[in-house]
Amino acid sequence: MFAIFLTEGMNPFYQNIASFPTAVFTFLLALAVLYWLVAVLGLVDIDILDLDLPDGDADLDINSNHSTADALAGLLLRFGLVGVPLTVIVSLIALFGWLISYYCVHFLFGMIPDGLLRWLAGVPVLLVSLYLAVLITAQVIKPLRSFFQATEQHTEKKVLGQVAIVRTARVDEHFGEAMLADGGAGLILKVRSLPDSQFARGDRVVLLEYLAEQNAYQVISEQEFNH
């Protein structure tokens, strides 16, 4: 099945994804895939890139008085890229940008000679692909917002006092995730320990308090909770 990827007929495909501007999105998409693989293994938080965004759809004033994070948050709000984890947004932008750029290169660049002209033509293709990818992503995530919000609100109310199993290599006051059995596929929750404690993968912890500013749950060991 995978032998088809080694045939000469795939050479144009490899040339397209490795040439400018598609190569930019190929790199971003490869990073996104690598990130999700690492996240599944519990080595990073799923929402490690998330920013604190104000409620509502109002734009932030993006100027020199704001930090880079504020400017990025303002851009996300302006394009409607809010309500779902930033890692999902970035992954979708990389995917849609890659598809748009690939087909532009595939169908149009055959008429443009190699060399400087292709590089010059690649700049507007890159910018247009990125812009369209952002617009498409904003539409795709709209129906997902209510799901994430409802899940978050429901989860916060029902999980306090329950036992979860640490799924990351460690849990400390800055990092960690735990799996909570909910009768279904399970819930992956961001958790934080008290400053003087730390947990390892497989430890049983009790969800003690919801930390709204971190969108995480403070945990203590099951043994300490029972005492």
Side-chain angles (χ1 to χ4, degrees), residues 71-129:
L72 178 57
L75 287 173
L76 292 173
L77 284 170
R78 184 162 296 172
F79 286 101
L81 300 174
V82 292
V84 302
L86 184 56
T87 47
V88 174
I89 293 172
V90 172
S91 299
L92 289 175
I93 290 175
L95 174 61
F96 293 130
W98 184 85
L99 290 170
I100 295 169
S101 179
Y102 174 83
Y103 283 107
C104 284
V105 170
H106 181 72
F107 289 112
L108 300 178
F109 275 35
M111 300 178 287
I112 303 175
D114 289 333
L116 181 60
L117 283 179
R118 283 205 177 185
W119 278 90
L120 293 176
V123 173
V125 170
L126 174 64
L127 297 177
V128 170
S129 298

Short mmCIF file of all heavy atoms in Angstrom, two decimals, residues 71-129:
data_model
loop_
_atom_site.label_atom_id
_atom_site.label_comp_id
_atom_site.label_asym_id
_atom_site.label_seq_id
_atom_site.Cartn_x
_atom_site.Cartn_y
_atom_site.Cartn_z
N ALA A 71 -1.07 41.50 20.92
CA ALA A 71 -1.29 41.70 19.49
C ALA A 71 -1.82 40.44 18.83
O ALA A 71 -2.74 40.49 18.01
CB ALA A 71 0.01 42.14 18.82
N LEU A 72 -1.25 39.29 19.20
CA LEU A 72 -1.72 38.02 18.65
C LEU A 72 -3.15 37.75 19.06
O LEU A 72 -3.98 37.30 18.26
CB LEU A 72 -0.81 36.89 19.10
CG LEU A 72 -1.19 35.47 18.64
CD1 LEU A 72 -1.29 35.41 17.11
CD2 LEU A 72 -0.20 34.45 19.15
N ALA A 73 -3.46 38.02 20.33
CA ALA A 73 -4.83 37.84 20.81
C ALA A 73 -5.80 38.72 20.04
O ALA A 73 -6.91 38.32 19.71
CB ALA A 73 -4.91 38.13 22.31
N GLY A 74 -5.37 39.96 19.75
CA GLY A 74 -6.21 40.86 18.98
C GLY A 74 -6.48 40.35 17.58
O GLY A 74 -7.61 40.44 17.06
N LEU A 75 -5.46 39.79 16.94
CA LEU A 75 -5.64 39.23 15.60
C LEU A 75 -6.59 38.03 15.62
O LEU A 75 -7.44 37.88 14.73
CB LEU A 75 -4.28 38.81 15.02
CG LEU A 75 -3.37 39.95 14.57
CD1 LEU A 75 -2.00 39.41 14.19
CD2 LEU A 75 -3.99 40.70 13.40
N LEU A 76 -6.44 37.20 16.63
CA LEU A 76 -7.33 36.04 16.74
C LEU A 76 -8.78 36.48 16.90
O LEU A 76 -9.69 35.93 16.27
CB LEU A 76 -6.90 35.17 17.93
CG LEU A 76 -5.56 34.44 17.79
CD1 LEU A 76 -5.18 33.77 19.09
CD2 LEU A 76 -5.60 33.42 16.66
N LEU A 77 -9.01 37.48 17.74
CA LEU A 77 -10.36 38.00 17.94
C LEU A 77 -10.90 38.61 16.65
O LEU A 77 -12.07 38.44 16.30
CB LEU A 77 -10.37 39.04 19.06
CG LEU A 77 -10.28 38.50 20.49
CD1 LEU A 77 -10.04 39.63 21.47
CD2 LEU A 77 -11.56 37.75 20.85
N ARG A 78 -10.07 39.36 15.96
CA ARG A 78 -10.50 40.05 14.74
C ARG A 78 -10.97 39.08 13.68
O ARG A 78 -11.92 39.36 12.94
CB ARG A 78 -9.36 40.92 14.22
CG ARG A 78 -9.69 41.76 13.01
CD ARG A 78 -8.68 42.87 12.84
NE ARG A 78 -8.72 43.81 13.96
CZ ARG A 78 -7.84 44.79 14.15
NH1 ARG A 78 -6.83 44.93 13.31
NH2 ARG A 78 -7.95 45.60 15.19
N PHE A 79 -10.31 37.94 13.59
CA PHE A 79 -10.68 36.96 12.57
C PHE A 79 -11.64 35.89 13.09
O PHE A 79 -11.98 34.96 12.37
CB PHE A 79 -9.43 36.29 12.00
CG PHE A 79 -8.63 37.15 11.07
CD1 PHE A 79 -7.49 37.79 11.51
CD2 PHE A 79 -9.06 37.35 9.76
CE1 PHE A 79 -6.76 38.60 10.66
CE2 PHE A 79 -8.33 38.16 8.90
CZ PHE A 79 -7.18 38.79 9.35
N GLY A 80 -12.07 36.01 14.34
CA GLY A 80 -13.01 35.05 14.90
C GLY A 80 -12.40 33.73 15.27
O GLY A 80 -13.10 32.71 15.36
N LEU A 81 -11.09 33.72 15.51
CA LEU A 81 -10.40 32.48 15.84
C LEU A 81 -10.34 32.31 17.36
O LEU A 81 -9.26 32.31 17.97
CB LEU A 81 -8.99 32.49 15.24
CG LEU A 81 -8.93 32.62 13.71
CD1 LEU A 81 -7.50 32.75 13.24
CD2 LEU A 81 -9.61 31.43 13.05
N VAL A 82 -11.49 32.17 17.97
CA VAL A 82 -11.60 32.03 19.42
C VAL A 82 -12.61 30.95 19.75
O VAL A 82 -13.40 30.55 18.90
CB VAL A 82 -12.04 33.36 20.08
CG1 VAL A 82 -10.95 34.42 19.95
CG2 VAL A 82 -13.34 33.86 19.47
N GLY A 83 -12.57 30.48 20.99
CA GLY A 83 -13.57 29.53 21.45
C GLY A 83 -13.14 28.08 21.40
O GLY A 83 -13.83 27.20 21.91
N VAL A 84 -11.99 27.80 20.78
CA VAL A 84 -11.45 26.44 20.74
C VAL A 84 -9.95 26.54 21.05
O VAL A 84 -9.36 27.63 20.94
CB VAL A 84 -11.66 25.75 19.37
CG1 VAL A 84 -13.13 25.70 19.01
CG2 VAL A 84 -10.90 26.47 18.27
N PRO A 85 -9.30 25.45 21.44
CA PRO A 85 -7.86 25.51 21.74
C PRO A 85 -7.06 26.05 20.57
O PRO A 85 -7.33 25.74 19.40
CB PRO A 85 -7.51 24.03 22.03
CG PRO A 85 -8.79 23.44 22.53
CD PRO A 85 -9.88 24.12 21.74
N LEU A 86 -6.07 26.87 20.87
CA LEU A 86 -5.24 27.49 19.83
C LEU A 86 -4.50 26.43 19.01
O LEU A 86 -4.25 26.64 17.82
CB LEU A 86 -4.24 28.45 20.48
CG LEU A 86 -3.36 29.27 19.53
CD1 LEU A 86 -4.20 30.06 18.55
CD2 LEU A 86 -2.46 30.19 20.33
N THR A 87 -4.17 25.32 19.62
CA THR A 87 -3.49 24.26 18.87
C THR A 87 -4.38 23.71 17.76
O THR A 87 -3.89 23.35 16.69
CB THR A 87 -3.10 23.11 19.82
OG1 THR A 87 -4.22 22.77 20.65
CG2 THR A 87 -1.94 23.51 20.69
N VAL A 88 -5.69 23.64 18.00
CA VAL A 88 -6.61 23.21 16.95
C VAL A 88 -6.66 24.24 15.83
O VAL A 88 -6.64 23.89 14.64
CB VAL A 88 -8.03 23.00 17.54
CG1 VAL A 88 -9.04 22.68 16.42
CG2 VAL A 88 -8.02 21.88 18.57
N ILE A 89 -6.69 25.52 16.20
CA ILE A 89 -6.74 26.59 15.20
C ILE A 89 -5.50 26.57 14.32
O ILE A 89 -5.59 26.63 13.08
CB ILE A 89 -6.88 27.95 15.91
CG1 ILE A 89 -8.24 28.05 16.60
CG2 ILE A 89 -6.71 29.10 14.93
CD1 ILE A 89 -8.39 29.26 17.49
N VAL A 90 -4.34 26.50 14.94
CA VAL A 90 -3.08 26.49 14.18
C VAL A 90 -3.02 25.28 13.26
O VAL A 90 -2.59 25.38 12.09
CB VAL A 90 -1.88 26.52 15.14
CG1 VAL A 90 -0.58 26.32 14.37
CG2 VAL A 90 -1.84 27.83 15.90
N SER A 91 -3.45 24.12 13.75
CA SER A 91 -3.42 22.90 12.93
C SER A 91 -4.32 23.03 11.72
O SER A 91 -3.96 22.63 10.61
CB SER A 91 -3.84 21.69 13.78
OG SER A 91 -2.95 21.50 14.86
N LEU A 92 -5.51 23.60 11.91
CA LEU A 92 -6.45 23.77 10.79
C LEU A 92 -5.93 24.78 9.78
O LEU A 92 -6.05 24.57 8.57
CB LEU A 92 -7.82 24.20 11.32
CG LEU A 92 -8.61 23.14 12.07
CD1 LEU A 92 -9.89 23.73 12.64
CD2 LEU A 92 -8.95 21.96 11.15
N ILE A 93 -5.35 25.87 10.25
CA ILE A 93 -4.77 26.86 9.34
C ILE A 93 -3.66 26.23 8.51
O ILE A 93 -3.56 26.45 7.30
CB ILE A 93 -4.26 28.08 10.12
CG1 ILE A 93 -5.43 28.88 10.70
CG2 ILE A 93 -3.42 28.98 9.21
CD1 ILE A 93 -5.01 30.03 11.57
N ALA A 94 -2.81 25.44 9.16
CA ALA A 94 -1.73 24.77 8.44
C ALA A 94 -2.28 23.81 7.39
O ALA A 94 -1.78 23.75 6.26
CB ALA A 94 -0.83 24.02 9.43
N LEU A 95 -3.33 23.07 7.74
CA LEU A 95 -3.91 22.11 6.81
C LEU A 95 -4.56 22.80 5.62
O LEU A 95 -4.27 22.45 4.46
CB LEU A 95 -4.95 21.25 7.54
CG LEU A 95 -5.76 20.28 6.66
CD1 LEU A 95 -4.83 19.28 5.98
CD2 LEU A 95 -6.82 19.58 7.49
N PHE A 96 -5.43 23.78 5.88
CA PHE A 96 -6.11 24.46 4.78
C PHE A 96 -5.14 25.28 3.94
O PHE A 96 -5.26 25.33 2.71
CB PHE A 96 -7.23 25.35 5.32
CG PHE A 96 -8.36 24.59 5.94
CD1 PHE A 96 -8.84 24.91 7.20
CD2 PHE A 96 -8.95 23.52 5.27
CE1 PHE A 96 -9.88 24.20 7.78
CE2 PHE A 96 -9.99 22.80 5.84
CZ PHE A 96 -10.46 23.14 7.10
N GLY A 97 -4.17 25.91 4.58
CA GLY A 97 -3.16 26.66 3.84
C GLY A 97 -2.35 25.75 2.93
O GLY A 97 -2.03 26.11 1.79
N TRP A 98 -2.02 24.57 3.44
CA TRP A 98 -1.27 23.60 2.64
C TRP A 98 -2.06 23.15 1.42
O TRP A 98 -1.53 23.10 0.31
CB TRP A 98 -0.92 22.39 3.51
CG TRP A 98 -0.06 21.38 2.84
CD1 TRP A 98 1.30 21.37 2.74
CD2 TRP A 98 -0.51 20.19 2.15
NE1 TRP A 98 1.73 20.26 2.06
CE2 TRP A 98 0.65 19.52 1.67
CE3 TRP A 98 -1.76 19.65 1.89
CZ2 TRP A 98 0.58 18.35 0.96
CZ3 TRP A 98 -1.84 18.46 1.17
CH2 TRP A 98 -0.68 17.82 0.72
N LEU A 99 -3.34 22.85 1.60
CA LEU A 99 -4.17 22.41 0.49
C LEU A 99 -4.31 23.49 -0.58
O LEU A 99 -4.17 23.22 -1.78
CB LEU A 99 -5.56 21.99 1.00
CG LEU A 99 -5.63 20.71 1.82
CD1 LEU A 99 -7.00 20.55 2.45
CD2 LEU A 99 -5.29 19.50 0.94
N ILE A 100 -4.60 24.72 -0.15
CA ILE A 100 -4.78 25.81 -1.10
C ILE A 100 -3.49 26.10 -1.85
O ILE A 100 -3.47 26.22 -3.08
CB ILE A 100 -5.27 27.08 -0.37
CG1 ILE A 100 -6.65 26.85 0.23
CG2 ILE A 100 -5.31 28.27 -1.33
CD1 ILE A 100 -7.10 27.93 1.19
N SER A 101 -2.40 26.19 -1.11
CA SER A 101 -1.12 26.48 -1.73
C SER A 101 -0.69 25.36 -2.68
O SER A 101 -0.20 25.62 -3.79
CB SER A 101 -0.05 26.68 -0.65
OG SER A 101 1.22 26.94 -1.22
N TYR A 102 -0.92 24.11 -2.27
CA TYR A 102 -0.52 22.98 -3.12
C TYR A 102 -1.22 23.03 -4.47
O TYR A 102 -0.59 22.87 -5.53
CB TYR A 102 -0.82 21.66 -2.41
CG TYR A 102 -0.57 20.45 -3.29
CD1 TYR A 102 0.71 19.93 -3.41
CD2 TYR A 102 -1.59 19.88 -4.04
CE1 TYR A 102 0.97 18.85 -4.24
CE2 TYR A 102 -1.35 18.80 -4.87
CZ TYR A 102 -0.07 18.29 -4.97
OH TYR A 102 0.17 17.22 -5.81
N TYR A 103 -2.53 23.24 -4.46
CA TYR A 103 -3.27 23.22 -5.72
C TYR A 103 -2.99 24.46 -6.56
O TYR A 103 -3.05 24.39 -7.80
CB TYR A 103 -4.77 23.06 -5.46
CG TYR A 103 -5.12 21.63 -5.10
CD1 TYR A 103 -5.47 21.28 -3.80
CD2 TYR A 103 -5.06 20.63 -6.07
CE1 TYR A 103 -5.75 19.96 -3.48
CE2 TYR A 103 -5.35 19.31 -5.75
CZ TYR A 103 -5.70 18.98 -4.46
OH TYR A 103 -5.98 17.67 -4.15
N CYS A 104 -2.68 25.59 -5.93
CA CYS A 104 -2.26 26.75 -6.71
C CYS A 104 -0.96 26.46 -7.44
O CYS A 104 -0.81 26.77 -8.62
CB CYS A 104 -2.08 27.96 -5.78
SG CYS A 104 -3.62 28.72 -5.23
N VAL A 105 -0.01 25.88 -6.73
CA VAL A 105 1.27 25.53 -7.34
C VAL A 105 1.07 24.47 -8.42
O VAL A 105 1.65 24.55 -9.52
CB VAL A 105 2.26 25.03 -6.26
CG1 VAL A 105 3.51 24.42 -6.91
CG2 VAL A 105 2.64 26.16 -5.32
N HIS A 106 0.23 23.48 -8.15
CA HIS A 106 0.03 22.37 -9.07
C HIS A 106 -0.57 22.84 -10.40
O HIS A 106 -0.14 22.39 -11.48
CB HIS A 106 -0.88 21.33 -8.42
CG HIS A 106 -1.13 20.13 -9.28
ND1 HIS A 106 -0.17 19.17 -9.53
CD2 HIS A 106 -2.24 19.75 -9.98
CE1 HIS A 106 -0.67 18.24 -10.33
NE2 HIS A 106 -1.93 18.56 -10.62
N PHE A 107 -1.56 23.72 -10.33
CA PHE A 107 -2.29 24.10 -11.55
C PHE A 107 -1.74 25.37 -12.21
O PHE A 107 -1.95 25.55 -13.42
CB PHE A 107 -3.77 24.31 -11.23
CG PHE A 107 -4.51 23.04 -10.93
CD1 PHE A 107 -4.99 22.78 -9.65
CD2 PHE A 107 -4.71 22.08 -11.91
CE1 PHE A 107 -5.66 21.61 -9.35
CE2 PHE A 107 -5.40 20.90 -11.64
CZ PHE A 107 -5.86 20.67 -10.36
N LEU A 108 -1.05 26.23 -11.48
CA LEU A 108 -0.65 27.51 -12.04
C LEU A 108 0.84 27.63 -12.32
O LEU A 108 1.24 28.28 -13.29
CB LEU A 108 -1.07 28.66 -11.10
CG LEU A 108 -2.57 28.77 -10.81
CD1 LEU A 108 -2.83 29.91 -9.84
CD2 LEU A 108 -3.36 28.99 -12.10
N PHE A 109 1.66 27.02 -11.49
CA PHE A 109 3.10 27.26 -11.60
C PHE A 109 3.73 26.57 -12.81
O PHE A 109 4.87 26.87 -13.15
CB PHE A 109 3.81 26.84 -10.31
CG PHE A 109 3.80 27.91 -9.27
CD1 PHE A 109 2.72 28.75 -9.13
CD2 PHE A 109 4.88 28.09 -8.42
CE1 PHE A 109 2.68 29.75 -8.17
CE2 PHE A 109 4.87 29.08 -7.44
CZ PHE A 109 3.76 29.90 -7.33
N GLY A 110 3.00 25.66 -13.44
CA GLY A 110 3.52 25.04 -14.65
C GLY A 110 3.69 26.04 -15.78
O GLY A 110 4.47 25.83 -16.71
N MET A 111 2.96 27.15 -15.69
CA MET A 111 3.04 28.19 -16.73
C MET A 111 4.08 29.24 -16.42
O MET A 111 4.28 30.18 -17.19
CB MET A 111 1.66 28.86 -16.88
CG MET A 111 0.55 27.89 -17.29
SD MET A 111 -1.06 28.72 -17.42
CE MET A 111 -1.42 28.98 -15.67
N ILE A 112 4.74 29.13 -15.27
CA ILE A 112 5.73 30.12 -14.85
C ILE A 112 7.11 29.49 -14.90
O ILE A 112 7.33 28.41 -14.35
CB ILE A 112 5.44 30.62 -13.42
CG1 ILE A 112 4.02 31.20 -13.35
CG2 ILE A 112 6.46 31.66 -13.00
CD1 ILE A 112 3.60 31.60 -11.96
N PRO A 113 8.07 30.13 -15.57
CA PRO A 113 9.41 29.54 -15.65
C PRO A 113 10.09 29.44 -14.28
O PRO A 113 9.78 30.21 -13.37
CB PRO A 113 10.18 30.52 -16.56
CG PRO A 113 9.25 31.62 -16.89
CD PRO A 113 7.94 31.38 -16.25
N ASP A 114 10.98 28.48 -14.17
CA ASP A 114 11.73 28.31 -12.92
C ASP A 114 12.59 29.53 -12.63
O ASP A 114 12.94 30.30 -13.53
CB ASP A 114 12.63 27.07 -13.01
CG ASP A 114 11.82 25.79 -12.97
OD1 ASP A 114 10.73 25.81 -12.39
OD2 ASP A 114 12.29 24.77 -13.52
N GLY A 115 12.94 29.66 -11.37
CA GLY A 115 13.84 30.74 -10.98
C GLY A 115 13.15 31.84 -10.22
O GLY A 115 12.19 31.62 -9.47
N LEU A 116 13.63 33.06 -10.43
CA LEU A 116 13.16 34.21 -9.66
C LEU A 116 11.68 34.46 -9.84
O LEU A 116 10.98 34.84 -8.88
CB LEU A 116 13.96 35.45 -10.07
CG LEU A 116 13.61 36.75 -9.32
CD1 LEU A 116 13.83 36.59 -7.82
CD2 LEU A 116 14.43 37.92 -9.87
N LEU A 117 11.16 34.26 -11.06
CA LEU A 117 9.75 34.53 -11.31
C LEU A 117 8.85 33.65 -10.44
O LEU A 117 7.81 34.10 -9.95
CB LEU A 117 9.42 34.31 -12.79
CG LEU A 117 9.85 35.43 -13.75
CD1 LEU A 117 9.49 35.07 -15.18
CD2 LEU A 117 9.20 36.75 -13.34
N ARG A 118 9.25 32.40 -10.25
CA ARG A 118 8.44 31.51 -9.40
C ARG A 118 8.46 31.95 -7.95
O ARG A 118 7.46 31.86 -7.24
CB ARG A 118 8.93 30.06 -9.52
CG ARG A 118 8.48 29.38 -10.79
CD ARG A 118 8.44 27.88 -10.65
NE ARG A 118 7.95 27.25 -11.86
CZ ARG A 118 7.72 25.94 -11.97
NH1 ARG A 118 7.98 25.13 -10.95
NH2 ARG A 118 7.28 25.45 -13.09
N TRP A 119 9.62 32.42 -7.49
CA TRP A 119 9.71 32.92 -6.13
C TRP A 119 8.84 34.17 -5.96
O TRP A 119 8.14 34.32 -4.96
CB TRP A 119 11.16 33.24 -5.78
CG TRP A 119 11.92 32.02 -5.35
CD1 TRP A 119 12.63 31.17 -6.15
CD2 TRP A 119 12.02 31.51 -4.03
NE1 TRP A 119 13.17 30.15 -5.40
CE2 TRP A 119 12.81 30.33 -4.10
CE3 TRP A 119 11.52 31.92 -2.80
CZ2 TRP A 119 13.11 29.58 -2.97
CZ3 TRP A 119 11.83 31.17 -1.67
CH2 TRP A 119 12.62 30.02 -1.76
N LEU A 120 8.88 35.05 -6.94
CA LEU A 120 8.06 36.26 -6.87
C LEU A 120 6.57 35.92 -6.91
O LEU A 120 5.76 36.53 -6.21
CB LEU A 120 8.42 37.20 -8.03
CG LEU A 120 9.82 37.82 -7.98
CD1 LEU A 120 10.08 38.65 -9.22
CD2 LEU A 120 9.99 38.66 -6.72
N ALA A 121 6.20 34.93 -7.74
CA ALA A 121 4.80 34.51 -7.80
C ALA A 121 4.38 33.79 -6.53
O ALA A 121 3.21 33.79 -6.16
CB ALA A 121 4.59 33.61 -9.02
N GLY A 122 5.36 33.18 -5.86
CA GLY A 122 5.04 32.43 -4.65
C GLY A 122 4.64 33.30 -3.48
O GLY A 122 3.87 32.86 -2.61
N VAL A 123 5.12 34.54 -3.44
CA VAL A 123 4.80 35.43 -2.31
C VAL A 123 3.31 35.72 -2.22
O VAL A 123 2.69 35.53 -1.17
CB VAL A 123 5.63 36.74 -2.39
CG1 VAL A 123 5.16 37.72 -1.31
CG2 VAL A 123 7.11 36.44 -2.24
N PRO A 124 2.66 36.20 -3.32
CA PRO A 124 1.20 36.40 -3.21
C PRO A 124 0.42 35.11 -2.98
O PRO A 124 -0.61 35.12 -2.31
CB PRO A 124 0.83 37.05 -4.55
CG PRO A 124 1.96 36.75 -5.47
CD PRO A 124 3.17 36.66 -4.61
N VAL A 125 0.90 34.00 -3.54
CA VAL A 125 0.23 32.73 -3.30
C VAL A 125 0.28 32.37 -1.82
O VAL A 125 -0.71 31.91 -1.23
CB VAL A 125 0.86 31.60 -4.14
CG1 VAL A 125 0.33 30.23 -3.72
CG2 VAL A 125 0.57 31.82 -5.62
N LEU A 126 1.43 32.60 -1.19
CA LEU A 126 1.58 32.33 0.24
C LEU A 126 0.62 33.19 1.06
O LEU A 126 -0.09 32.69 1.94
CB LEU A 126 3.02 32.61 0.67
CG LEU A 126 3.31 32.53 2.17
CD1 LEU A 126 3.09 31.12 2.69
CD2 LEU A 126 4.74 32.99 2.46
N LEU A 127 0.57 34.49 0.75
CA LEU A 127 -0.28 35.40 1.52
C LEU A 127 -1.76 35.10 1.30
O LEU A 127 -2.55 35.09 2.27
CB LEU A 127 0.04 36.85 1.13
CG LEU A 127 1.45 37.33 1.44
CD1 LEU A 127 1.66 38.75 0.94
CD2 LEU A 127 1.74 37.24 2.93
N VAL A 128 -2.14 34.84 0.07
CA VAL A 128 -3.55 34.53 -0.22
C VAL A 128 -3.94 33.21 0.42
O VAL A 128 -5.03 33.08 0.99
CB VAL A 128 -3.80 34.50 -1.74
CG1 VAL A 128 -5.18 33.94 -2.06
CG2 VAL A 128 -3.66 35.90 -2.33
N SER A 129 -3.07 32.21 0.34
CA SER A 129 -3.36 30.91 0.94
C SER A 129 -3.55 31.04 2.44
O SER A 129 -4.46 30.44 3.03
CB SER A 129 -2.23 29.92 0.64
OG SER A 129 -2.09 29.70 -0.75
#
